[in-house]
Amino acid sequence: MDLFIESLEGNSYLVKVGDGGKHTVVTDEQQQPLKFNCLADVKEHFNEHFLNEVWLEQATPYEEMCGLPSSNDKLRIKLKW
C-alpha cells in the first residue's frame, strides 16, 4: 500500500491510499474525508500499517506566477517514512 499526502491550504492534509493508479481517500466514520493538521498526525494514524512508499503532494501556482499556462500537475516528493 502506498500513501499519498496532499498538502492543502490552511495547514491541513488530505490522505489517499492506493496501489498502482487507483487511490482512495481516507474517510472517518461518517464517510467524510479525514483531514490531518500535520505530518506527525498522519504518521501516528498509520503507524500500524505497512507502507511501501509515502508521497507528499502539493499543487503549486509556479507556472502561473511566471506567466506560463497553468498546469494541473502536482509537486510530488517521496518521503523517508
Side-chain angles (χ1 to χ4, degrees):
M1 174 170 70
D2 294 337
L3 196 65
F4 301 89
I5 306 166
E6 185 173 354
S7 176
L8 304 172
E9 290 184 30
N11 294 331
S12 61
Y13 298 88
L14 184 67
V15 178
K16 298 176 276 186
V17 293
D19 290 318
K22 184 179 177 188
H23 303 151
T24 305
V25 174
V26 176
T27 58
D28 61 17
E29 296 82 23
Q30 290 80 33
Q31 301 305 313
Q32 297 298 312
L34 189 57
K35 292 185 180 176
F36 297 89
N37 294 320
C38 63
L39 293 177
D41 291 346
V42 176
K43 195 166 193 172
E44 182 179 326
H45 184 82
F46 288 95
N47 69 349
E48 303 272 330
H49 296 82
F50 173 76
L51 302 170
N52 292 322
E53 294 180 340
V54 178
W55 296 90
L56 178 63
E57 299 177 334
Q58 184 176 23
T60 175
Y62 179 77
E63 290 90 357
E64 188 176 325
M65 290 170 41
C66 294
L68 300 172
S70 62
S71 170
N72 288 335
D73 294 336
K74 295 179 183 177
L75 172 66
R76 183 181 279 184
I77 301 169
K78 186 175 178 180
L79 299 178
K80 292 185 181 182
W81 206 248

